[in-house]
Amino acid sequence: MAETLPITSVWLTCQIPARDQRRGRYVPGTSSHPGKMLPHLAAHAISSYTTPGDLVFDPMCGVGTTLVEATHLGRHGIGIDIEPRFTTLAEANAAFAASQGAPGTAQVLTGDATGLLDLVPASAVGQVGLVLTSPPYGRGTHGLVLTTSTGVRKRDHHYGDRERGNLAYAGWSRLLDGFATILAASYQLLRPGGTVIITCRPVRRQRDDLIDLPGELLAVAQSVGLIPVQRCAAMLAAVRDGQIVHRANMFGLIAVRRARDDGIPVHLVAHEDVLILHRR
C-alpha cells in the first residue's frame, strides 16, 4: 500500500510559457516530442537536490531536457531513450548546450531502459546523485496545433514507434511493470542517500475515467525499496497576483468544455505531481 504524502511545496515552474523556456536553449525540432519536461522544472529539481559535479540520470530522457539543464548547472548527465529520433535530438540539444558554454557533460544512449544496466557505463553504478524522469501518459498527448487549408489538426502527439517496444503503447499494467523494472535498475545506479524525482499527473482514459497515476507510481517506487520523503506540485500554469493563468492548448480546452457540457466536472490540469524519494 503506497504511503500518502501531502503536498509540501509548490514549484513556480511555468511563470513563462514552455516555448519561451526552450527558445535559444534547445534546437529546432525539440517540440516534436509530445511529453517534454518543463526546463524550469528540471532546473529547479537539479539545483535543489544535487551539487555541481554530481551525476544526474534520466532513463526516459526524450529530447534531453534533464541532460541540458544538468549540464548548464555544472552537473554531468546520462540519458536513455528507446526512440532514435528523440535521442538524435537529445544529442543535438546536449551539443548545443556545450556550444553555449555549459560546464557539465552529457551522454545519450539509445535503447530500452528496462535493460538499462546493459546500456549505462559500469562506472555509473552507485554514483548517481539524482534520477529525474517522467513516464509516458499512454500512447499520446494533446500535442501541438497545426493549421491547414482544411482546418485544424493535431501534430506531434504520439510518443514513438509502437513496434519498438515503447512503454507508451504497453497499456497501464505493463507500463507500470516496465517502470518498476526501470526504477529497480535505477536504484542500483544511485549512491547511498541518492534521490529519485518522478514527475507525473493524473490521466483520463475516458472523460469520466480518471487514473491516479501519481499514486500508482508512488506505490511502484516503494515496491523497489525507495523511501518517499516529499511530494510537491510543479505548476504547469503561471501564478499572477494569486490567480492561476492556464497554459492549456486548444485541444485541452475543447476536451474540458465538452466534458462539462456532458455534466462531467473536468478541470484543466494546472500542475504535475513531483514525487521525491531516497535510496536508503
Side-chain angles (χ1 to χ4, degrees), residues 190-257:
L190 285 168
R191 66 193 182 199
T195 302
V196 173
I197 296 181
I198 304 166
T199 70
C200 53
R201 69 189 79 163
V203 179
R204 289 189 183 276
R205 285 191 295 190
Q206 305 293 332
R207 283 182 293 175
D208 58 349
D209 184 12
L210 184 67
I211 297 172
D212 178 20
L213 185 58
E216 297 278 5
L217 294 179
L218 180 59
V220 165
Q222 290 183 262
S223 75
V224 303
L226 291 164
I227 309 302
V229 294
Q230 193 175 13
R231 175 172 165 242
C232 303
M235 297 303 295
L236 301 172
V239 178
R240 300 277 188 266
D241 298 323
Q243 300 295 313
I244 292 176
V245 181
H246 76 79
R247 305 286 194 197
N249 64 23
M250 182 188 72
F251 292 111
L253 290 169
I254 290 173
V256 167
R257 288 168 181 163

Side-chain angles (χ1 to χ4, degrees), residues 118-156:
D118 294 325
L119 298 171
V120 301
S123 59
V125 176
Q127 300 302 311
V128 171
L130 172 65
V131 175
L132 173 61
T133 197
S134 181
Y137 303 121
R139 67 182 60 182
T141 67
H142 288 304
L144 300 176
V145 175
L146 179 65
T147 303
T148 69
S149 59
T150 58
V152 175
R153 62 181 178 85
K154 294 181 183 181
R155 69 174 176 88
D156 298 329

